Amino acid sequence: MRRAALALLLSLAGAALAADYAGPLFDAHLHYNEEAWNGKSGPHPPADAVARMQRNGVRAILSNSRPNDGTHTLAGSPEARRAGVAVVPFVRLYRNRADYDNWFREETIYAMVQSELARGTAAGPYRGIGEFHLYDSANANGPVARKLMALAEEKQLAVLAHVDDTAIDLLMANTPSKGQKVRLVWAHTGIGGTPAARVDQLLARYPGLLGELSYRPGLTCDAGKLCPEWRALLLKYPGRFVVGSDTWVNQRWESYDATMRGYRTWLGDLPADVARKIAWDNAASLFGTKQP
Ligand SMILES: [Zn+2]
């Protein structure tokens, strides 16, 4: 009996040490695209999308969508307001799929961004531009890409960019401060597996660079816990990482619970203050979001 009690106590202590992160989450990479819900039909109307956030403790979202109507819908949705989910709107550069490969040189997209910025959303002014993609890093020097980076710095808009490490340097070079002032959320922090040492170098070089960690290769190892190299990087730069769902296809909405559970597992592997920063504080302080 006594031995059983001791064993129970030890197993409870072990569970406490390995407890998942239980605080609020800021989903810093969310899409509400037209196939999720186009305003009339779709598997994930606002009530469904917001319920997924709510049951996962997601209290704020960086929202963008193709086209921007989805973000307008969430920003004005009574469901999000009732659930206490803060919507931080970003202007998406894509009106349709064809824009993915053309936005960096397409003047009509620059004009669309200007008119969206002037319009704002029901949740307030836009706070950033993106997500945009560069499949060839050299296109970071396209005429519209250059103008958008300069605009972001000038208007203090953050940027959400799915690019490689070479493009980070090129995009930063296209701002008036050469990357010393603009805030850039690096979607996936190098989805092609940019080495941790190179990520470290870029974080050191650009004070406004933050790494978003969805789909990041090499981040987690056994049992969904952090790999040693990435754990060390997160501990070295606790103020520079955020997490996101990247609901780029409906499948990601369907697995939203699993994605957030995955984050809570490895966040639980970090000191409590560091976990809280990556889960919430870093994104919340970037956008001045109220504590839930
Ligand atoms: Zn995305």
Side-chain angles (χ1 to χ4, degrees):
M1 188 67 183
R2 237 180 300 157
R3 192 176 297 171
L6 184 65
L8 179 67
L9 206 67
L10 285 173
S11 81
L12 284 174
L17 283 174
D20 288 357
Y21 170 76
L25 288 169
F26 195 125
D27 181 346
H29 183 164
L30 181 138
H31 305 288
Y32 197 44
N33 292 333
E34 67 176 342
E35 61 271 20
W37 194 67
N38 67 6
K40 294 189 281 301
S41 62
H44 304 294
D48 175 86
V50 170
R52 287 168 197 270
M53 297 166 203
Q54 203 170 16
R55 69 179 179 245
N56 286 288
V58 170
R59 305 298 302 271
I61 56 169
L62 187 169
S63 173
N64 70 106
S65 60
R66 163 184 44 77
N68 285 303
D69 306 20
T71 293
H72 285 290
T73 300
L74 277 184
S77 93
E79 290 89 350
R81 200 172 44 246
R82 273 199 300 270
V85 174
V87 178
V88 175
F90 269 44
V91 186
R92 180 81 160 178
L93 304 185
Y94 311 147
R95 299 156 297 191
N96 50 53
R97 288 214 173 258
D99 284 340
Y100 278 65
D101 296 318
N102 228 17
W103 66 269
F104 42 85
R105 57 175 158 240
E106 179 54 56
E107 288 292 337
T108 60
I109 289 183
Y110 191 74
M112 182 270 282
V113 170
Q114 298 279 16
S115 76
E116 278 296 321
L117 291 176
R119 179 184 173 197
T121 78
Y126 281 104
R127 306 301 306 278
I129 296 171
E131 180 191 22
F132 61 71
H133 300 71
L134 286 172
Y135 302 110
D136 176 354
S137 23
N139 289 327
N141 289 330
V144 170
R146 286 175 182 273
K147 280 162 65 169
L148 286 170
M149 287 306 295
L151 179 77
E153 181 171 312
E154 182 198 324
K155 303 261 186 218
Q156 297 186 1
L157 296 163
V159 172
L160 178 62
H162 172 137
V163 298
D164 65 10
D165 56 310
T166 305
I168 293 286
D169 278 325
L170 296 175
L171 290 169
M172 291 298 197
N174 287 334
T175 64
S177 72
K178 304 290 172 218
Q180 293 309 295
K181 285 193 184 144
V182 78
R183 295 156 314 153
L184 191 154
V185 180
W186 187 7
H188 321 300
T189 321
I191 201 163
T194 307
R198 171 72 169 141
V199 175
D200 185 339
Q201 183 188 53
L202 291 171
L203 289 170
R205 188 175 294 167
Y206 305 113
L209 180 66
L210 285 99
E212 183 275 319
L213 293 166
S214 61
Y215 287 107
R216 169 61 227 198
L219 180 70
T220 55
C221 284
D222 298 339
K225 297 290 185 184
L226 290 166
C227 301
E229 187 179 44
W230 274 85
R231 188 170 193 278
L233 193 63
L234 267 46
L235 289 171
K236 184 171 178 186
Y237 295 98
R240 305 290 292 282
F241 290 97
V242 297
V243 295
S245 60
D246 192 14
T247 45
W248 66 286
V249 287
N250 285 343
Q251 205 176 32
R252 295 285 289 181
W253 278 111
E254 281 139 37
S255 57
Y256 197 89
D257 296 351
T259 303
M260 293 303 154
R261 228 175 12 246
Y263 285 138
R264 289 187 182 282
T265 300
W266 65 249
L267 284 166
D269 202 17
L270 291 165
D273 59 327
V274 176
R276 165 88 188 196
K277 281 187 169 126
I278 296 170
W280 177 267
D281 293 347
N282 294 341
S285 67
L286 184 61
F287 302 112
T289 311
K290 273 202 303 254
Q291 298 299 313

